[in-house]
Amino acid sequence: MAILVTGGAGFIGSHTVVELLAAGKEVVIVDNFVNAKPEVLNRIRKISGKDFKFYEADILDRPALDRIFEENDIDSVIHFAALKAVGESCRQPLRYYRNNIAGTLSLCEAMTAHNVKKIVFSSSATVYGMNNPVPFVETMPISQATNPYGSTKVMMETVLTDLFKADPAWSVVLLRYFNPIGAHPSGLIGEDPNGIPNNLLPYVAQVASGKLPYLSVYGDDYDTPDGTGVRDYIHVVDLAKGHLLALDKLAEAGVNIYNLGTGKGYSVLDVVNAFKKASGRDVPYKVVPRRPGDIAVCYADSSKAKHELGWEAKFDLDDMCRDSWNFTKNNPNGL
Ligand SMILES: NC(=O)c1ccc[n+]([C@@H]2O[C@H](COP(=O)([O-])OP(=O)(O)OC[C@H]3O[C@@H](n4cnc5c(N)ncnc54)[C@H](O)[C@@H]3O)[C@@H](O)[C@H]2O)c1
Ligand SMILES: CC(=O)N[C@H]1[C@@H](OP(=O)(O)OP(=O)(O)OC[C@H]2O[C@@H](n3ccc(=O)[nH]c3=O)[C@H](O)[C@@H]2O)O[C@H](CO)[C@@H](O)[C@@H]1O
């Protein structure tokens, strides 16, 4: 029996495929390379010493999905494929709603047609919105997000939950990721954004490597110890391992939601300092006004994942910066 990984060539997907292969699972990847490069597939093979099946296809292409389900004995799906840039989603809302929502509907329809009813879904801490107190707990109300990307996550969680309500044979695990960073310790795969990065870590890495002149710190007047935004950064390998444990949870029908974070918050300046230490490079920065839509503090209560999945993050911020720098150094021009 195989696991279908949508978006398996992406940042989190590629690290998860490495863990799946290491655990002896059979893997089928579908990705259209809208935000990934084909070279990542060679890198996964190199790290794991194992092979997998790959389909270059869009999950909106229903006949292509049908072919994948027909040609493989798929038992469950891990669904990463989505567009994820917040700013871009504000400029191109229709593209985001079509890709993320219609893509998920197309996938779920194909799964239903082929009687595959087990899915692990990539959600985000963004569903907690602006009004819940930290730490975020799975039982908190999810709310209207502040941007179209976030709205697609709220909607996709709703779609999957309604699917179970209508047909209790479905097993759905919603994983709410906090801020995934870092890279595989081999330095062969990591975060490889196109163009100028939006997120903090890849931006800092490009400043340290000299590709970008300085970091803009979005506000130092938040109600936090040093005034800069605080986030729960989590090593992508820890996150990837969470998916393996989530697969076990699919054995029972239902909808289960888990936060995947470390439960610790680090400020932008904490990250800058940790990255300087890891890289031995300077990371010049300038404080600029707050970024619209940002919240002051975001971190997880991950005790549910610990108790029910036996999952806990093992890597700390220094490990994350070390591995992120290792990847950047080894791949100065990306993959
Ligand atoms: N990285 C984060 O900070 C973060 C945080 C919370 C949630 N998530 C979610 O986790 C998932 C994976 O994120 P990531 O950081 O690995 O992003 P990524 O962009 O690196 O990976 C997504 C992959 O999906 C593919 N893809 C997108 N649309 C597709 C489509 N229609 N058909 C086929 N393939 C398609 C892309 O080519 C890419 O390889 C996404 O759903 C994202 O929203 C990410
Ligand atoms: C409002 C917003 O965009 N939220 C998205 C962002 O989270 P989030 O904003 O937490 O993640 P980022 O990496 O973009 O930012 C982390 C922290 O660094 C600061 N920062 C970031 C970049 C920079 O150049 N300078 C700087 O100071 C931010 O203000 C924030 O305090 O990315 C996540 C992962 O893709 C998404 O799930 C979130 O929906």
Side-chain angles (χ1 to χ4, degrees):
M1 295 295 262
I3 298 159
L4 175 63
V5 183
T6 76
F11 173 45
I12 305 169
S14 58
H15 288 81
T16 302
V17 169
V18 165
E19 296 302 323
L20 291 170
L21 294 171
K25 308 275 188 197
E26 197 183 322
V27 175
V28 176
I29 297 178
V30 57
D31 200 298
N32 65 355
F33 294 126
V34 66
N35 195 37
K37 302 198 184 82
E39 171 60 16
V40 76
L41 304 176
N42 297 328
R43 303 286 179 97
I44 295 172
R45 290 186 188 100
K46 199 165 168 187
I47 295 169
S48 64
K50 293 187 176 164
D51 209 353
F52 49 85
K53 242 177 158 173
F54 176 76
Y55 290 83
E56 182 172 350
D58 192 315
I59 56 165
L60 281 151
D61 181 348
R62 199 33 224 289
L65 285 186
D66 283 335
R67 210 165 47 245
I68 296 171
F69 281 101
E70 276 153 24
E71 290 176 2
N72 299 280
D73 194 6
I74 309 279
D75 170 61
S76 47
V77 176
I78 307 182
H79 179 29
F80 293 103
L83 297 173
K84 63 162 184 175
V86 172
E88 188 179 68
S89 79
C90 298
R91 294 189 297 276
Q92 304 175 1
L94 293 180
R95 182 172 168 238
Y96 271 67
Y97 286 116
R98 172 151 301 281
N99 191 75
N100 294 3
I101 305 290
T104 298
L105 296 180
S106 160
L107 174 69
C108 291
E109 284 162 1
M111 289 175 70
T112 306
H114 297 274
N115 204 26
V116 177
K117 297 185 175 176
K118 295 181 186 170
I119 185 166
V120 176
F121 174 67
S122 297
S123 191
S124 164
T126 194
V127 301
Y128 290 108
M130 312 278 283
N131 298 320
N132 284 304
V134 284
F136 295 147
V137 185
E138 292 87 345
T139 47
M140 286 174 171
I142 63 172
S143 58
Q144 185 60 42
T146 55
N147 57 74
Y149 162 74
S151 298
T152 68
K153 289 292 172 198
V154 173
M155 288 180 195
M156 290 184 286
E157 283 204 1
T158 308
V159 167
L160 292 169
T161 305
D162 287 345
L163 208 44
F164 168 73
K165 284 185 195 156
D167 176 359
W170 277 80
S171 306
V172 176
V173 175
L174 307 176
L175 296 180
R176 295 181 179 157
Y177 311 154
F178 281 66
N179 286 59
I181 62 168
H184 193 267
S186 64
L188 288 168
I189 54 173
E191 196 167 8
D192 181 25
N194 292 326
I196 297 185
N198 300 298
N199 296 115
L200 181 63
L201 250 289
Y203 202 105
V204 166
Q206 294 198 13
V207 173
S209 70
K211 250 187 166 176
L212 293 168
Y214 63 89
L215 169 73
S216 296
V217 174
Y218 297 138
D220 67 352
D221 56 352
Y222 284 106
D223 184 15
T224 61
D226 66 18
T228 65
V230 167
R231 295 291 182 273
D232 185 341
Y233 297 96
I234 170 162
H235 197 296
V236 63
V237 172
D238 276 331
L239 192 66
K241 289 180 195 291
H243 292 75
L244 242 77
L245 297 164
L247 282 176
D248 295 339
K249 199 70 191 170
L250 291 178
E252 58 189 67
V255 177
N256 286 288
I257 308 176
Y258 299 100
N259 286 338
L260 295 183
T262 66
K264 290 194 202 83
Y266 290 100
S267 74
V268 176
L269 297 183
D270 289 335
V271 171
V272 167
N273 288 329
F275 210 92
K276 278 163 81 168
K277 193 168 100 186
S279 63
R281 302 283 185 93
D282 195 15
V283 179
Y285 67 85
K286 288 184 191 166
V287 177
V288 302
R290 293 179 179 193
R291 181 172 66 178
D294 271 358
I295 55 174
V297 181
C298 170
Y299 60 92
D301 178 335
S302 284
S303 50
K304 189 176 175 212
K306 184 174 176 186
H307 293 132
E308 294 191 12
L309 300 179
W311 177 86
E312 208 172 2
K314 298 273 187 300
F315 294 108
D316 64 17
L317 185 63
D318 288 338
D319 299 321
M320 300 179 214
C321 290
R322 177 199 62 218
D323 292 336
S324 169
W325 176 242
N326 187 35
F327 175 73
T328 307
K329 214 173 39 175
N330 289 343
N331 305 276
N333 300 311
L335 292 182

